[in-house]
Amino acid sequence: MEDGAAFNGLSCSWPTTLHTMASRGIILLTGGAGFIGSHIAVEVAAAGWTPVLLDNFCTSERSVVDRLGELMGMPVRCIEADIRHEGAMRAAFGSTAVHAVIHLAGLKAVGESVEKPELYHDNNVRGTEVLLAAMDEVGVRRMVFSSSCTVYGTPQRLPIDESHPLSAINPYGQTKLDIEHMLDRWVDAGPDRHVCSLRYFNPVGAHASALIGESPLGIPNNLMPFVVMVARGELPELGVFGGDWPTHDGTGVRDYIHVVDLARGHVAALDQLDSMHHERINLGTGMGASVLDVVHAFERMNGAKVPYAIRPRRAGDAAAAYADPSLAERRLGWRAQLGLDDMVRDAWSFAQRQG
Ligand code: NAD
Ligand code: UDP
């Protein structure tokens, strides 16, 4: 870690002895300026690594880099590059001695992927090919990959463990499956290669400092940003997609996981990476919460009103999806610590700080 780094008093897990710690090495975060990547950068740094971001800012804001610097009390290095650009990727790895890559860069909007499947393949799948080729040129052999529970398709059984059948129900999900298969081939193509594909359930919330969080550009895709928009009065009501699902209150159930817990799962994966070939591990809490559970927790914790109306079911939705997170506990020594109340409180604090 660079000299002069210091905890600035904000609420994060930054060790106070940081300025005396030597860096354990550089972790390159593709897509590091995004919602999840920015939180991983904080936790990676807190664990003694030096995060370097690489991002083309297609779905994130440049100001995230400054806010991360403010949060960490030191400047954060960010390489502006597109993972699909061979020259840029070669230059990035040529200028930086990278210990491991956390590969988050990707497009993630399911609806957009249905409209533009070629774009999703090019950005996510071909982009990963270019990234791996650049890593090969300089001998970087470790990767933690942002996969998703979408690789399980429509749940056949609950909770979902890693042996659940795989299927892609949209082009976005297909890109995650394609990349996991590509990584199987990559680890077999050379010695000493290590990959952990982390299959995220539903990341929400924000850092407790409220300096970083989820700020989707344009119309959001996921539940929590819509809840926040309704609470802010930017939308009159939340449309709840189906009130007659076979769940405890009729609304869809998901496994929401606090983004800081999720980020810490990546640090745990980095620590175990050298004992892996290519492992797939769920990151979830194991607890299902319905849409109305989220709405009620949000209103109770934040004193805000979230009017809602039951609408028709959304095409392609499942009644319920939640993880069996026990492999993460056994293999990574990781389990989620934060609950739904923390998630809705931190999501709202971040939204309010945005003004
Ligand atoms: P995000 O959109 O906030 O972050 C993605 C980042 O990648 C952005 O900063 C974007 O600018 C960057 N990026 C995209 N394409 C790029 C390219 N070609 N070159 C360089 N940078 C590029 O999304 P997020 O929620 O932080 O998601 C991060 C990763 O986690 C994605 O791969 C996503 O598929 C995966 N994931 C997210 C969720 C979720 O619900 N948020 C769930 C499961 C998996
Ligand atoms: N949902 C909803 N209204 C919205 C957005 C989402 O009722 O405006 C529901 C959705 O049907 C699902 C849950 O909220 O039951 C989580 O949806 P999200 O898109 O965030 O995650 P995913 O379905 O991809 O797991």
Side-chain angles (χ1 to χ4, degrees), residues 279-328:
E279 294 187 23
R280 281 105 158 145
I281 301 180
N282 288 341
L283 289 186
T285 64
M287 310 268 283
S290 72
V291 175
L292 292 187
D293 290 337
V294 172
V295 167
H296 295 144
F298 194 97
E299 291 186 323
R300 179 168 41 78
M301 290 299 290
N302 299 323
K305 286 268 168 269
V306 183
Y308 65 85
I310 304 292
R311 301 255 172 84
R313 292 180 179 186
R314 184 172 64 176
D317 259 354
Y322 49 90
D324 176 346
S326 58
L327 182 62

Side-chain angles (χ1 to χ4, degrees), residues 63-77:
S63 64
V64 169
V65 183
D66 293 334
R67 283 184 266 137
L68 270 177
E70 193 184 330
L71 180 51
M72 296 188 195
M74 64 175 188
V76 174
R77 190 169 158 219

